[in-house]
């Protein structure tokens, strides 16, 4: 159902830990996209969504984190996250977490119903079909596991990217296969994780696009690290940065000084 534009939707932005600590520009890009789409955006006090503790089997700590999130995000029309992983944690796993709690389950279900991944919210809820952005070059896109398999996020980012002036999307082989990160999976099973990201990196390079995009920063950090270690010059960015036209910051894993030196060398 499309949002009634007569009233600006009030959005609670779930920034995510990784964005806050590693790539704040993604959060600012999300705010710009939402405001351009006619929303009022607020950033309530927040911590982690609880996914690391949930995946590690610590249900007690996860419940405590989830209760705080549910409380902090009361009153917003929608909760939007620039991450399929965190959005899926709230939307799919909070109700599972409180399945045996008649007090908290209705609250978890209510929050889950209002929670969306960024590109899905823009396309599926607000009906956005175009963004005001330009990008000169080809990109390839990785479909992050949680967004794709738990939330059905696949066509939405591609629909928005198709409206970016100058951008060409080149699909890589097995774009919907895991990059090997999986949060704590990469720590618990490092050898398997390494083998998975090695295969993913080969597909990225084979696509021939100079820029790699995805909707989850954890996946992007993992792939950027592998590509960098292999000496591959592929630039890595969050899809929100491209859609918002906010590409002044260097790509993920590239220091500002390195970016400046590269530009000077190209002159």
């Amino acid at each position: 159902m499309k949002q009634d534009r007569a009233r600006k939707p009030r959005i609670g932005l779930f920034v995510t830990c990784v964005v806050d600590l590693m790539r704040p520009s993604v959060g600012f890009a999300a705010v710009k996209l939402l405001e351009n789409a006619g929303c009022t955006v607020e950033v309530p006090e927040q911590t982690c969504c609880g996914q690391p503790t949930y995946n590690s089997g610590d249900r007690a700590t996860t419940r405590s984190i989830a209760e705080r999130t549910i409380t902090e995000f009361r009153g917003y029309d929608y909760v939007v996250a620039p991450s399929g992983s965190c959005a899926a944690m709230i939307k799919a796993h909070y109700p599972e977490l409180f399945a045996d709690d008649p007090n908290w389950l209705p609250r978890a279900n209510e929050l889950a119903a209002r929670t969306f991944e960024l590109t899905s919210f823009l396309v599926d809820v607000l009906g956005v079909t175009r963004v005001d952005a330009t990008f000169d070059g080809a990109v390839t896109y990785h479909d992050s596991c949680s967004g794709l398999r738990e939330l059905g996020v696949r066509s939405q980012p591609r629909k928005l990217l198709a409206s970016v002036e100058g951008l060409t999307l080149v699909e890589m082989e097995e774009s919907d296969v895991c990059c090997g990160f999986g949060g704590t999976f990469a720590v618990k099973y490092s050898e398997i994780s390494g083998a998975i990201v090695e295969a993913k990196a080969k597909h990225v390079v084979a696509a021939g696009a100079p820029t790699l995009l995805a909707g989850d920063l954890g996946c992007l950090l993992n792939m950027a690290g592998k590509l960098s270690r292999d000496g591959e010059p592929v630039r890595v960015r969050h899809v929100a940065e491209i859609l918002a036209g906010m590409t002044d910051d260097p790509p993920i894993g590239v220091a500002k000084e390195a970016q400046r030196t590269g530009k000077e060398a190209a002159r």
Side-chain angles (χ1 to χ4, degrees):
M1 182 178 180
K2 299 297 185 290
Q3 173 68 33
D4 181 1
R5 295 300 185 95
R7 170 182 169 274
K8 284 189 174 184
R10 182 170 173 245
I11 308 301
L13 181 67
F14 192 87
V15 176
T16 84
C17 301
V18 183
V19 166
D20 184 37
L21 295 172
M22 304 296 292
R23 191 77 173 178
S25 59
V26 174
F28 292 118
V31 171
K32 181 180 180 181
L33 287 166
L34 291 167
E35 289 182 341
N36 286 350
C39 300
T40 298
V41 184
E42 299 176 28
V43 183
E45 186 175 346
Q46 56 193 269
T47 59
C48 178
C49 68
Q51 185 176 167
T53 54
Y54 182 79
N55 290 342
S56 298
D58 185 354
R59 294 296 188 266
T61 300
T62 309
R63 285 171 66 103
S64 176
I65 294 170
E67 287 173 9
R68 175 170 179 169
T69 302
I70 291 169
T71 301
E72 292 293 340
F73 281 88
R74 285 181 304 182
Y76 293 98
D77 295 319
Y78 299 98
V79 175
V80 178
S83 162
S85 180
C86 295
M89 179 65 199
I90 296 172
K91 198 171 185 71
H93 299 296
Y94 275 19
E96 295 176 357
L97 189 65
F98 294 106
D100 60 350
D101 189 329
N103 182 38
W104 280 97
L105 179 58
R107 305 182 203 183
N109 284 331
E110 194 273 337
L111 176 61
R114 292 185 287 116
T115 300
F116 294 87
E117 181 272 341
L118 176 63
T119 62
S120 174
F121 179 72
L122 291 170
V123 173
D124 299 333
V125 179
L126 296 184
V128 175
T129 58
R130 298 188 60 82
V131 294
D132 183 16
T134 60
F135 184 80
D136 184 18
V139 304
T140 192
Y141 195 89
H142 164 71
D143 296 292
S144 303
C145 293
S146 293
L148 176 65
R149 292 170 176 81
E150 295 185 295
L151 301 178
V153 177
R154 189 180 191 284
S155 63
Q156 300 92 329
R158 288 169 171 83
K159 180 177 292 186
L160 296 175
L161 286 170
S163 71
V164 176
E165 184 178 353
L167 181 145
T168 301
L169 175 62
V170 180
E171 294 287 1
M172 75 173 86
E173 186 178 349
E174 297 185 354
S175 65
D176 58 351
V177 173
C178 180
C179 75
F181 178 58
T184 55
F185 175 85
V187 177
K188 294 177 181 176
Y189 307 104
S190 59
E191 291 186 6
I192 299 174
S193 174
I196 295 173
V197 76
E198 181 176 1
K200 174 60 68 171
K202 289 179 180 178
H203 290 315
V204 171
V205 173
T211 301
L212 167 65
L213 306 179
D216 266 281
L217 188 53
C219 300
L220 289 164
L221 289 168
N222 185 44
M223 293 183 291
K226 174 59 177 173
L227 291 165
S228 176
R229 292 191 298 273
D230 288 349
E232 299 292 349
V234 179
R235 298 184 291 272
V236 181
R237 291 188 179 276
H238 192 285
V239 66
E241 296 174 312
I242 299 295
L243 296 176
M246 296 174 63
T247 57
D248 287 341
D249 283 346
I252 294 169
V254 176
K256 289 188 177 181
E257 183 62 33
Q259 183 189 43
R260 184 160 51 248
T261 302
K263 287 182 177 178
E264 291 171 353
R267 289 173 182 168

